[in-house]
Amino acid sequence: MANKLLLMKPTGLVATMWCALASVAFAVEPTPHSEPLLAPSYQLVFSDDFSTDPNSNGNWTVFRAQNDPTREGYWDPTQQVWYLTTQSGGLATAAFANYELTATSWKVDFKYLVDHGRRGGGDGFVFMFCKDKSVYEIRHPRPAAGQYMAFQTTNPDYSNNPVPGYGLEFDTFYNALCDPLSENYIAIVQDVICESAQVYRPFNKIDDDIWHSVEFTFRNGHLACTIDGSTVLRATISDPDYSHTGIGFGAGTGNAVADQVIDDFEIWIENDE
C-alpha cells in the first residue's frame, strides 16, 4: 500500500486538498485544536558536539562524491563544527551516525548554518532517517552531487539511483525539473529528491549565514519540525517503512555552492520504546 503523507499547517487556516504524486497521496488540513498536553519523555542515545573530528571519532560513517575530506565532510577544529560541503562545485556528502535507528518514536536536535558567499547558493541539505545506508557502502555508486544532495547515489555513467528512506529537505536552489517552489523551502521527501516533495513549505531562513536550531520529532509516523522555537511543518506518514536504520545528513553542491554546516547533533528515543 502506498504511503500517505498528511500535512498539518501550523496556522489555523482551514483548507483540504487531496493530491497524488509518485503514487503517494497526501492531504492538507488545519492543525487540530486537541494537541496533547503532556510532552513525551526521552532518553539521549547519541550525540556529537563536534569538539572532536567526526571523521575519526567513531561516531560517523561518511561517504563523499569526490573523496575529498578537505571540501566534503570537512571538520573545522577551530570552530568545532562540521562542513557537509564547502563553497566548491560538484560536491556531495552522505554522513550516517553510527547508531541503528530502530525506534518508532524519537526526536533529533541539531544546528545548521548555510552560507553561499557571493556566488549564489546551492543546492541544499537533508536530514535523513530510516535510510538504506548500505547502498552507499558499495564503491559505485557514490553520493549524488548538486540537486540530489547525496540523498541518492550516482552511477559511473552519471545516472542516479533512488535510495529507500525519508528526509527533511532544506532546498536552496530552484530547479524547474525537480522543485515544487521557486523559492527556498523545506520538505518531506522519500527515496528521491526530484518530484518527491510531497509535503513542503516556503522557508527563507536557510542560507542566511545565521545559525538555526532544529528539533525534529517522529512518533509512529507523526512528525513535526520546529526551527528556532517555531513549528514550521507537521505531517503524518501512514504505514511508514521501518526496514532501514540509517540516520544522518546529506548535502550537495553543483555550479551553485555553499558552506553547509551542522553542529550539536543529538538523537533522543522516547522512553516507552
Side-chain angles (χ1 to χ4, degrees):
M1 182 175 67
N3 289 334
K4 179 180 176 183
L5 295 178
L6 173 64
L7 172 63
M8 297 179 291
K9 292 184 178 178
T11 65
L13 296 178
V14 178
T16 302
M17 176 177 66
W18 286 93
C19 184
L21 293 174
S23 75
V24 181
F26 70 95
V28 177
E29 295 184 353
T31 302
H33 294 292
S34 57
E35 294 289 344
L37 297 178
L38 297 178
S41 175
Y42 293 96
Q43 58 178 315
L44 180 66
V45 294
F46 178 96
S47 67
D48 198 333
D49 64 2
F50 304 108
S51 59
T52 59
D53 188 348
N55 295 297
S56 59
N57 66 11
N59 287 342
W60 300 87
T61 301
V62 186
F63 306 94
R64 300 173 171 88
Q66 305 295 336
N67 196 28
D68 185 352
T70 67
R71 297 185 298 155
E72 301 166 307
Y74 165 70
W75 178 60
D76 185 323
T78 302
Q79 299 181 72
Q80 296 187 349
V81 297
W82 203 16
Y83 285 68
L84 297 174
T85 67
T86 56
Q87 293 183 27
S88 185
L91 305 182
T93 302
F96 292 98
N98 288 336
Y99 177 83
E100 303 300 320
L101 181 65
T102 59
T104 60
S105 293
W106 48 270
K107 71 171 183 173
V108 297
D109 296 301
F110 63 91
K111 297 176 182 176
Y112 74 85
L113 178 147
V114 178
D115 177 15
H116 56 67
R118 298 180 179 179
R119 295 180 56 185
D123 278 81
F125 72 98
V126 57
F127 163 68
M128 304 186 288
F129 58 98
C130 299
K131 193 71 170 171
D132 186 3
K133 59 185 177 182
S134 67
V135 173
Y136 297 86
E137 296 171 356
I138 306 169
R139 182 178 180 183
H140 293 292
R142 61 183 180 176
Q147 65 201 23
Y148 302 107
M149 305 178 200
F151 192 68
Q152 298 175 235
T153 58
T154 299
N155 298 313
D157 64 358
Y158 296 102
S159 60
N160 291 290
N161 311 294
V163 178
Y166 303 98
L168 172 67
E169 177 191 7
F170 294 74
D171 194 289
T172 59
F173 184 83
Y174 178 57
N175 183 317
L177 299 178
C178 285
D179 296 323
L181 299 174
S182 59
E183 58 193 304
N184 288 0
Y185 66 89
I186 58 174
I188 301 298
V189 293
Q190 181 178 359
D191 301 345
V192 298
I193 289 291
C194 287
E195 299 183 338
S196 172
Q198 306 299 303
V199 178
Y200 51 87
R201 178 184 172 180
F203 191 70
N204 60 8
K205 296 182 180 179
I206 302 178
D207 56 348
D208 54 5
D209 196 22
I210 296 174
W211 282 104
H212 298 285
S213 297
V214 178
E215 180 178 85
F216 182 81
T217 60
F218 184 96
R219 301 190 70 198
N220 300 308
H222 303 281
L223 57 87
C225 176
T226 298
I227 301 178
D228 299 332
S230 297
T231 300
V232 297
L233 193 69
R234 292 182 183 270
T236 296
I237 304 173
S238 65
D239 299 318
D241 183 358
Y242 298 119
S243 302
H244 309 292
T245 59
I247 182 170
F249 294 90
T253 66
N255 292 326
V257 301
D259 293 326
Q260 302 181 105
V261 194
I262 59 170
D263 198 7
D264 296 334
F265 178 66
E266 299 176 336
I267 305 174
W268 300 76
I269 299 303
E270 193 168 332
N271 280 325
D272 290 339
E273 283 285 340

